[in-house]
Amino acid sequence: MTEDPLLARVRKLLAKAEDPACTPPEAEAFMAKAAELIAKYGIDQALLAGADPALDPVGDRVLTVEPPYSRDKASLLGAVAIALRCKVVHLDRRGTARVHLFGHGADLERVELLFTSLLIQAAHGLAAAAVPSYDHPAAFRRSWLAGFTEAIRARLTAAEQEAAAAAPGAELVLVDRTELVERRRDETYPKLTRLGPRRLAGTGRRHGYAAGRAADLGGARGLRNS
């Protein structure tokens, strides 16, 4: 099956941002466009499915996140998924992490595409980040990933909201789609408990946040995105 042209453009933008030679300003520009395009794709698919729900049914998939820092990477996955209107259940949090995602097919596809690229971009950013002499390397990197995740969550959420606001009738469609996703999750896990907040001691959050602001999400300036 031929890939949607919007997603094909996103993949090309993300590939450019994953290049270690890409400068932070370049990555930020790629990211802005990628987020915009991938949000637009999500809204387009939602509106099409509003007329025919069979075009984009609710599904689920379990993703495995490998060490090191699997719990921190799983948090990044969760942030991406929630911003793109999926629901998240963390299964295993130690060693190799497993995350159960629920969402419409198009949104699950968007999550996997972005998360795969963001892991590569985060790895480049961590490799380039100098750990202060007074900080423990693992603590610094965990806090760096937390900052990176915060920035990605904020950027994706903003892009999704802008795309929905620009499409007449999208808000009501999205409410209905979210209810279907929540119902599937609750049927699968009727007794969920919420995770408590993590306390991280490292000093890398600010550096990670800056890297997350520069990371590529697949959209471009000058053009008007779970």
Side-chain angles (χ1 to χ4, degrees):
M1 185 174 64
T2 303
E3 183 177 39
D4 184 279
L6 275 180
L7 285 187
R9 291 177 65 189
V10 169
R11 290 185 191 278
K12 290 178 181 178
L13 288 163
L14 293 175
K16 292 178 180 179
E18 291 163 14
D19 187 338
C22 184
T23 66
E26 290 171 339
E28 184 175 1
F30 292 142
M31 166 74 175
K33 191 55 189 174
E36 179 185 317
L37 290 178
I38 209 165
K40 185 178 185 307
Y41 173 80
I43 294 299
D44 288 348
Q45 297 303 306
L47 292 175
L48 286 172
D52 183 2
L55 292 175
D56 192 19
V58 177
D60 67 289
R61 59 191 67 176
V62 176
L63 299 186
T64 299
V65 184
E66 300 291 344
Y69 310 115
S70 57
R71 182 175 180 181
D72 308 279
K73 295 172 185 175
S75 294
L76 173 61
L77 171 58
V80 172
I82 291 170
L84 272 54
R85 297 186 293 278
C86 294
K87 299 301 176 183
V88 180
V89 176
H90 292 276
L91 302 177
D92 301 320
R93 302 276 286 177
R94 296 182 179 181
T96 298
R98 290 192 308 135
V99 182
H100 199 165
L101 303 180
F102 296 84
H104 290 270
D107 293 333
L108 291 170
E109 181 180 16
R110 295 193 300 147
V111 171
E112 287 205 67
L113 173 61
L114 270 180
F115 178 62
T116 300
S117 178
L118 288 170
L119 275 184
I120 295 172
Q121 295 182 58
H124 292 330
L126 275 175
V131 180
S133 59
Y134 52 80
D135 207 346
H136 189 281
F140 175 87
R141 289 169 184 141
R142 289 191 177 95
S143 61
W144 189 101
L145 284 167
F148 185 85
T149 297
E150 288 175 10
I152 294 301
R153 179 190 296 111
R155 296 178 68 188
L156 286 177
T157 300
E160 294 291 317
Q161 290 173 344
E162 289 177 13
E171 296 289 355
L172 289 176
V173 171
L174 295 179
V175 169
D176 291 340
R177 284 166 63 87
T178 297
E179 289 178 351
L180 291 174
V181 174
E182 290 177 342
R183 187 182 307 161
R184 170 69 75 85
R185 178 203 58 191
D186 294 344
E187 288 172 351
T188 307
Y189 298 102
K191 296 182 180 180
L192 281 177
T193 58
R194 288 187 174 274
L195 291 171
R198 295 184 68 194
R199 294 184 179 182
L200 299 174
T203 60
R205 187 182 296 265
R206 176 172 58 86
H207 301 282
Y209 189 89
R213 290 295 305 171
D216 179 38
L217 298 180
R221 294 175 181 175
L223 299 179
R224 239 307 350 121
N225 76 54
S226 161

